[in-house]
Amino acid sequence: MFGRVVCIIWGIACLAQTAGAEGLRIDWLERQTVPPPILSNMQALPDDLGRAGAGLGLADVRTTGKFTGQSYDLHETIVPPDAEFLPAASALLKSGVKVVLVKAPHDDLLALADLPEAQGALIVNISAAETDLRGENCRANLLHTVPSLAMRTDALAQFILKKRWDDLALIAGSTPEDTAFATALRASLAKFGLTLSAEKTWAFDANMRRAAAAEVPLFTQDLPAHDLLLVADERGDFARYIAYNTWAPRPLAGSEGLSPRGWSGVVEQHGAAQLQNRFRATTGREMRPEDFSAWVAIAALGEAATRTASTDPASLRSYLLSDEFRLGGFLGTPLSFRPWNGQLRQPIPLVTERAVVALAPIEGFLHARSELDTLGQDAPETTCAAFGD
């Protein structure tokens, strides 16, 4: 479908072909995981999450390449849940692969970036949102097109501050993803001078599909008066049952309700409808944040290869991190990379299920260099020491 070689790893390392000098070879490396059980599995994740966006990106850069005389190839290596990730990644890099898009959990991503054979490679993270990967655990060979948790929660905090919703309550799940999102949310609220009036941890194991109308009002009855109820439920497990069942009728935001996302199927302005339509025509589904992150990664690499007339990873990285790089990303503001931690700057849509409510950075939040740097870790506060900026 994407004009690439598909390599499925079943415990045996699979070597990739060596890239031709005349074109840019891009490799997709995916660590498959078994999704944890949740209360409702009616909306299963697509099997091609992320890869579908990379496929559309490849089609786009190939169209440009016809006019510039450049060629692009996308090769896939997919590591199943019961196989070892690091040996497969090592074999891929030892075969000569140098430009890799990675969809893998935090620890696998760091282990990959630290491999000796990865030190000359350019690795693009399209799925791991943990803020420490852009901070104390950043790596010089690792760029990020997926927004960090801090970027998402900063976007929500800006909107809350603009609305002057001063009284806030939080319900957080107990999974690692929920804990990380809640931690980022607390930091963002503090960053913009906001505070939580109350917090509760969701620890129900009952079937909320049947018990929500009875249990949620009791669970939320003792919350103090609040303007907005925040929820940290990144797996989409319980928050859907909190909406409209709370003791006091209040709007919901965070992982449910008004949600800060890297992308959404409801984003339409700034030419996004055209991108959305092409994606739907190709895949038969909505474009999700991981798809957009992968599409952006391919588009950025194509732009860098065109501008530098090179496929050398060091040259591509240098251009991507330079002030010269700008990419139209259908979000109203050109995208660029932060030279101090390798994170892609991008606006963050604040969306409901059916509409974009706002696009952060919110008007009025100013910055000396770029308003986009009001989202996430700015240069003066970064703990990343690997980039030397």
Side-chain angles (χ1 to χ4, degrees):
M1 178 180 179
F2 303 141
R4 78 283 187 187
V5 174
V6 179
C7 175
I8 308 295
I9 309 297
W10 295 103
I12 301 175
C14 176
L15 297 182
Q17 298 174 355
T18 304
E22 71 282 358
L24 176 62
R25 171 178 173 143
I26 304 170
D27 275 75
W28 173 273
L29 176 59
E30 178 176 347
R31 172 48 145 158
Q32 290 185 329
T33 59
V34 178
I38 59 175
L39 289 174
S40 176
N41 288 305
M42 294 181 64
Q43 296 177 320
L45 293 176
D47 293 335
D48 60 352
L49 187 62
R51 279 181 283 133
L56 183 62
L58 179 68
D60 290 348
V61 296
R62 279 180 168 173
T63 298
T64 303
K66 291 179 180 179
F67 299 96
T68 61
Q70 294 167 303
S71 63
Y72 301 90
D73 289 296
L74 181 63
H75 300 245
E76 290 184 10
T77 300
I78 303 175
V79 185
D82 57 350
E84 293 292 331
F85 176 75
L86 214 54
S90 176
L92 187 70
L93 292 164
K94 286 179 178 178
S95 72
V97 166
K98 291 296 184 182
V99 179
V100 190
L101 270 60
V102 182
K103 179 187 174 185
H106 175 283
D107 291 349
D108 286 332
L109 183 65
L110 274 183
L112 164 66
D114 287 339
L115 285 172
E117 51 269 32
Q119 300 317 298
L122 176 59
I123 303 168
V124 185
N125 164 35
I126 68 97
S127 65
E130 290 87 349
T131 302
D132 71 285
L133 292 172
R134 293 85 169 158
E136 63 271 21
N137 284 323
C138 71
R139 300 293 187 268
N141 57 352
L142 184 59
L143 305 185
H144 313 272
T145 55
V146 57
S148 67
L149 287 175
M151 290 172 65
R152 290 174 52 205
T153 55
D154 279 358
L156 182 56
Q158 287 186 4
F159 182 82
I160 293 171
L161 186 59
K162 180 181 180 181
K163 287 292 186 179
R164 299 183 180 179
W165 291 339
D166 299 322
D167 296 319
L168 308 169
L170 169 66
I171 296 174
S174 55
T175 69
E177 297 96 323
D178 298 344
T179 299
F181 185 78
T183 298
L185 188 54
R186 294 185 197 99
S188 293
L189 295 177
K191 176 179 177 178
F192 291 101
L194 299 163
T195 58
L196 288 167
S197 59
E199 294 187 45
K200 298 196 77 171
T201 300
W202 182 268
F204 287 92
D205 56 5
N207 188 341
M208 283 297 110
R209 289 172 290 186
R210 297 181 180 180
E215 298 292 350
V216 173
L218 293 175
F219 180 71
T220 57
Q221 185 176 5
D222 61 347
L223 288 175
H226 54 280
D227 301 314
L228 179 69
L229 180 57
L230 299 164
V231 287
D233 174 27
E234 288 295 271
R235 291 181 180 176
D237 189 17
F238 63 86
R240 69 184 72 188
Y241 303 108
I242 291 178
Y244 302 104
N245 279 316
T246 54
W247 180 263
R250 294 294 181 268
L252 205 63
S255 300
E256 189 76 18
L258 181 66
S259 185
R261 302 289 179 187
W263 188 259
S264 169
V266 299
V267 176
E268 297 179 318
Q269 295 184 336
H270 310 295
Q274 188 262 355
L275 178 67
Q276 302 275 29
N277 289 337
R278 288 193 293 116
F279 186 84
R280 292 189 191 103
T282 302
T283 65
R285 64 174 178 84
E286 296 292 317
M287 192 177 211
R288 297 190 176 217
E290 295 90 341
D291 298 309
F292 183 71
S293 294
W295 177 85
V296 165
I298 297 286
L301 290 168
E303 176 71 9
T306 298
R307 298 297 182 182
T308 63
S310 173
T311 60
D312 173 61
S315 298
L316 298 176
R317 178 186 180 278
S318 178
Y319 179 77
L320 290 171
L321 293 173
S322 73
D323 291 337
E324 297 177 20
F325 173 75
R326 292 292 184 273
L327 181 70
F330 302 103
L331 287 170
T333 302
L335 315 183
S336 59
F337 284 92
R338 291 173 178 152
W340 58 87
N341 64 5
Q343 172 65 56
L344 184 75
R345 297 181 179 99
Q346 71 159 79
I348 301 294
L350 293 159
V351 303
T352 62
E353 184 179 357
R354 301 192 61 180
V356 176
V357 176
L359 192 64
I362 304 299
E363 184 178 359
F365 289 86
L366 304 178
H367 193 279
R369 177 179 47 253
S370 168
E371 281 74 23
L372 293 176
D373 286 335
T374 64
L375 305 176
Q377 291 185 337
D378 197 4
E381 60 193 14
T382 186
T383 55
C384 175
F387 281 69
D389 288 287

